[in-house]
Amino acid sequence: MFSLASVATISACIFLFCLFFSIIANIRNIAYLAETTIGVTVFFDDGMTEEEILALGDQIAQRPEVKEMNYISAEQAWESFQAEYFAGMEELAEGFAEDNPLASSASYEIFLKDISQQNTMVSYLQSLEGVRKVNYSNDLVAGFTNLNRLVGILSVVIIGLLLAVSVFLISNTIHVAAAFRKTENQIMRLIGATNFMIRAPFVVEGVVLGLAGALIPLGATYILYGRMVEYVGERFSGTAGGMGGVLRILPLEALFPTMAAVAMALGVGIGFFVSFFTIRKHLKV
Amino acid sequence: MIEISNVIKTYKAGNKAIRKLNIQIADGEFVFIVGRSGSGKSTLLKMLMKEVEPTSGHIIVNGVNLQKMPRRLVPKYRRRLGMVFQDFKLLKDRNIYENVAFAQRVIGVPPRRIKENVPEMLKLVGLSSKYKFYPNQLSGGEQQRVAIARALINNPEVLLADEPTGNLDRQNADEIMELLAEINAQGTTVIVVTHSQEIVDSMKKRVITMDKGMVVSDKRGGEICEIQHNLL
């Protein structure tokens, strides 16, 4: 009875670990994609020459937050604009002839190493002499940072509570088993069994409980996560347009090996250490 | 040789179980330790098993000073002793063969040797035909034979028996004592704690009588023990 309760609690604990692991891994993946595809765009004051802008660009590139920078000249901006808005109606753009309406729109597109550093970078850019405007998405950054932190705290609290319950239940199971085998242990001691010999069956029992408690939720996660990836793939493929394909779920193979290794270590570790230390109370040389 | 010199044992509550004990038991001797309840007999056995530490004094068993023995060596020391209890202490969920084999498994004897040793030992105690029986299918005398087989299977130098006939009728008790005498005849030192005057009288062995944690009489085989009779 206690064994079942122990396995069930460890399973619940490790299932939640798998759940939060998946959520956090996916949030981080989204953040990573956001960092690599969503950048900060800097525009410069009217009348600045290209040389002055490039010099300022060199200065910005020295910042530790910067991962990559792309310079978009006024000409490139105008060409890009034409390609996007005058596609199939090129004759309309001809009216501008040699007069580039985006002459003052040379810019730098800056990608950051870590999206949480965006506010620091934006403040720096805004403080620079010659910078006219900085475009960025503040809500996205705040959203990712807060969500990541919230899920992290929540997972630590819930997993911590379940760990404590698991420790208590395994400890109780081992206590009951030790009481049940009291005569056997007493005989073993008097015959000359070492503490290792007396302790080994209990530790094995603890490890088996931990292993069972890890394998069950890992199996469940494998099936459920795989199905979710399929479902999301079928239902939402190509609909994330606005986010530039940022909302993609990590495939099972990307996170399962690490998740399985940590979950097994957690289950076996809890089983081993709790039974090892619990049975110590019953050992008397 | 077992040498018990100036041993005192006072339990935490202040109860003086052993006041001052000096006993010498030679190799291959058969010794009865008698005395009323609370005389210190069981404490003496526990000290010999190194379950209980003396408050002062020394116990030397076959050259090993128990007070100087590190805890890690206690299991090895106990393998040199055999222990038989009044309530047999058999594992009820295992058959007779398994109960005896258990003692060998615990100390890591290879399975092939266990298969050879256990039937031999069951033959010695007269239970060859009942090796598949469980303890509750045997009489008290037979259960005690199993316990003796288990105590002997690892060839102990000393056999300690705590009231081995306490739960047996006279006939079974006599058979057990005959078995212990046979074991002793093969060279094993046997120490038996008992209340049974009839057993003590019939065996004509050395009898140490204890009272209030002290030896009050130590008679060699055949001597009449007047003090001993009063104290039983």
Side-chain angles (χ1 to χ4, degrees), chain A residues 4 21 23 32-33 35 41 43 45 50 91 112 114 159 193 232 255 276:
Chain A
L4 279 177
F21 185 92
I23 293 171
Y32 172 77
L33 291 173
E35 280 158 15
T41 311
F43 295 94
D45 288 344
E50 191 163 23
E91 66 281 3
L112 304 176
D114 181 351
I159 291 171
V232 171
L255 52 84
F276 186 88

Side-chain angles (χ1 to χ4, degrees), chain A residues 183-184 186-194 197 285, chain B residues 49 51 74-75 78-79 85 89 91 94 102 106 150:
Chain A
T183 310
E184 188 173 327
Q186 192 183 8
I187 295 166
M188 284 176 89
R189 264 205 319 271
L190 294 174
I191 286 171
T194 57
M197 291 168 182
V285 179
Chain B
M49 287 296 291
E51 272 194 276
V74 172
R78 285 184 182 154
R79 291 174 195 179
F85 306 90
K89 292 204 190 302
L91 301 171
R94 289 173 214 199
F102 178 71
V106 161
R150 185 184 62 195

Side-chain angles (χ1 to χ4, degrees), chain B residues 205-222:
Chain B
K205 301 285 185 183
R206 181 180 171 192
V207 181
I208 296 171
T209 309
M210 290 180 67
D211 186 39
K212 293 175 185 167
M214 291 189 295
V215 172
V216 290
S217 153
D218 187 349
K219 304 281 183 187
R220 298 287 153 178

Side-chain angles (χ1 to χ4, degrees), chain A:
Chain A
M1 194 64 191
F2 277 114
S3 301
L4 279 177
S6 302
V7 171
T9 321
I10 300 175
S11 292
C13 174
I14 292 179
F15 183 74
L16 281 177
F17 162 78
C18 293
L19 185 71
F20 287 119
F21 185 92
S22 310
I23 293 171
I24 290 172
N26 274 291
I27 289 174
R28 289 206 172 149
N29 183 50
I30 291 169
Y32 172 77
L33 291 173
E35 280 158 15
T36 51
T37 55
I38 301 170
V40 174
T41 311
V42 191
F43 295 94
F44 300 93
D45 288 344
D46 290 351
M48 276 183 82
T49 64
E50 191 163 23
E51 287 73 30
E52 287 172 325
I53 291 171
L54 289 171
L56 208 52
D58 289 343
Q59 192 184 328
I60 295 167
Q62 303 299 314
R63 294 285 297 185
E65 297 90 346
V66 176
K67 183 185 172 194
E68 195 187 324
M69 281 175 66
N70 295 327
Y71 175 66
I72 298 160
S73 66
E75 288 71 34
Q76 285 170 322
W78 174 228
E79 278 167 22
S80 168
F81 186 85
Q82 286 181 83
E84 192 169 344
Y85 292 99
F86 294 108
M89 302 175 286
E90 284 78 8
E91 66 281 3
L92 293 174
E94 282 170 15
F96 292 98
E98 294 302 308
D99 184 22
N100 181 355
L102 300 178
S104 305
S105 292
S107 65
Y108 268 108
E109 201 175 33
I110 304 167
F111 298 100
L112 304 176
K113 288 176 185 162
D114 181 351
I115 203 162
S116 66
Q117 296 169 333
Q118 186 178 272
N119 287 342
T120 317
M121 190 63 192
V122 167
S123 303
Y124 166 74
L125 293 170
Q126 285 170 338
S127 70
L128 286 176
E129 189 82 22
V131 169
R132 172 166 54 91
K133 192 181 176 193
V134 180
N135 277 355
Y136 63 99
S137 174
N138 199 23
D139 290 347
L140 190 69
V141 176
F144 280 137
T145 311
N146 290 339
L147 190 63
N148 215 350
R149 194 180 303 143
L150 183 73
V151 173
I153 293 169
L154 199 66
S155 60
V156 166
V157 171
I158 295 176
I159 291 171
L161 280 173
L162 280 165
L163 267 179
V165 177
S166 306
V167 166
F168 172 74
L169 281 171
I170 294 183
S171 174
N172 225 2
T173 307
I174 300 296
H175 270 305
V176 171
F180 188 71
R181 290 188 227 153
K182 195 179 169 189
T183 310
E184 188 173 327
N185 290 344
Q186 192 183 8
I187 295 166
M188 284 176 89
R189 264 205 319 271
L190 294 174
I191 286 171
T194 57
N195 278 345
F196 172 79
M197 291 168 182
I198 299 171
R199 186 184 262 162
F202 296 98
V203 175
V204 169
E205 185 173 340
V207 168
V208 169
L209 290 177
L211 197 63
L215 288 175
I216 293 167
L218 276 175
T221 307
Y222 189 88
I223 294 166
L224 291 175
Y225 192 87
R227 288 198 178 164
M228 191 188 72
V229 171
E230 275 175 30
Y231 178 77
V232 171
E234 286 167 11
R235 192 79 190 262
F236 299 104
S237 58
T239 60
M243 292 296 289
V246 159
L247 291 178
R248 264 181 284 164
I249 290 186
L250 278 169
L252 186 66
E253 312 84 74
L255 52 84
F256 197 73
T258 313
M259 183 200 288
V262 177
M264 297 279 268
L266 202 63
V268 171
I270 294 171
F272 177 83
F273 285 107
V274 174
S275 54
F276 186 88
F277 288 108
T278 303
I279 200 64
R280 243 169 46 149
K281 293 173 192 167
H282 296 269
L283 297 174
K284 194 185 87 182
V285 179

